[in-house]
Amino acid sequence: MLYDVRTYTCRPGTLKRHLALYAEHGFDTQRRHLGEPLAYLQTETGNVNSYTHIWVFADAADRAGKRAAMQRDPAWASYLEKSAQAAYLVSQETKLMVPTSFFKP
């Protein structure tokens, strides 16, 4: 298993607008290609301008294939354009993680 853990930071005061934009224009397309996320979380304490989502893949090849198909989807390209125009995002951190030997998902 490969866990794709992504944390995004939005400009202060724009998190709700960014998540609304994603919910309307990006979420269904992303789920169609990547499957259901393990988690989609909004920060409650700490940097309250950030959110994290986690997607699970069989391995790196599975992730690469699914993400490549998503990048070719015109609906995803449209969402990315809308997101760029809105300019709510400040940064993105991506961590690819694997379970420890003693954890059995």
Side-chain angles (χ1 to χ4, degrees):
M1 290 245 178
L2 180 68
Y3 294 82
D4 185 341
V5 181
R6 293 175 177 242
T7 300
Y8 294 83
T9 302
C10 293
R11 287 186 296 113
T14 66
L15 180 64
K16 287 181 182 180
R17 286 180 283 188
H18 172 72
L19 291 176
L21 178 75
Y22 173 73
E24 183 176 348
H25 299 285
F27 189 49
D28 287 340
T29 302
Q30 197 166 28
R31 288 187 322 173
R32 187 169 54 251
H33 291 283
L34 306 184
E36 292 296 323
L38 176 67
Y40 219 101
L41 309 162
Q42 185 174 336
T43 303
E44 182 73 17
T45 62
N47 183 353
V48 296
N49 298 304
S50 68
Y51 67 96
T52 298
H53 49 95
I54 304 170
W55 303 86
V56 181
F57 302 96
D59 52 33
D62 178 42
R63 177 181 177 272
K66 288 177 177 178
R67 289 193 55 78
M70 183 174 69
Q71 294 301 324
R72 291 189 299 268
D73 188 325
W76 185 246
S78 175
Y79 162 70
L80 292 178
E81 185 176 326
K82 286 175 176 45
S83 179
Q85 288 172 353
Y88 298 140
L89 292 175
V90 174
S91 66
Q92 171 188 340
E93 179 182 9
T94 302
K95 294 180 183 178
L96 299 179
M97 305 180 81
V98 295
T100 60
S101 63
F102 55 83
F103 177 74
K104 304 297 180 207

